[in-house]
Amino acid sequence: MAAEVGGYADPPVEVLAEAAAAFGLLSSPARLHIVWALARGESDVTGLAKRVGGALPAVSQHLTKLKLAGLVRSRREGRRQVYYVDDPDVVAVVRMMVGQLTARAVETPALTRRRGFGV
């Protein structure tokens, strides 16, 4: 039986496991950058590699993992495979998290560096 706090029942263990797996995939800076870029618009692997500064094979492997997890989808356009994020909730979560951390970095750059979020 799920506990209920503040009007919200705890989600099933399977849902928590799936969420943890998705967050685990997004814990990689490279994969998070790819999802961030795709949240801004679709792209092929070559364009993504240029945008995120990664090697083509590495970006391709990241995309495969993100696709298997259902975070990214693709479609064929002629000989190109075009990737995109089809889930507006994933886009919202990524934009919110990156936006919040960016705002914090601007407000208190020294504190952000101490926490390990900046250069």
Side-chain angles (χ1 to χ4, degrees), residues 27-111:
S27 70
S28 158
R31 285 191 291 270
L32 183 59
H33 196 174
I34 289 168
V35 173
W36 171 261
L38 292 175
R40 310 281 301 173
E42 56 190 37
S43 179
D44 64 7
V45 68
T46 303
L48 280 170
K50 287 179 185 175
R51 177 146 184 206
V52 303
L56 198 65
V59 171
S60 183
Q61 287 178 345
H62 288 308
L63 284 166
T64 298
K65 290 179 182 182
L66 291 167
K67 257 183 93 171
L68 287 171
L71 296 174
V72 166
R73 299 182 81 188
S74 68
R75 71 171 184 283
R76 183 149 307 277
E77 282 187 2
R79 296 184 345 175
R80 290 180 347 138
Q81 194 77 6
V82 177
Y83 295 88
Y84 58 98
V85 178
D86 192 35
D87 187 337
D89 294 330
V90 169
V91 171
V93 167
V94 169
R95 284 184 177 165
M96 182 179 65
M97 178 58 82
V98 172
Q100 289 290 342
L101 293 174
T102 301
R104 279 189 208 158
V106 169
E107 291 171 8
T108 54
L111 179 61

Side-chain angles (χ1 to χ4, degrees), residues 1-21:
M1 181 181 258
E4 191 167 319
V5 177
Y8 293 101
D10 287 346
V13 172
E14 298 82 16
V15 170
L16 291 171
E18 189 175 335

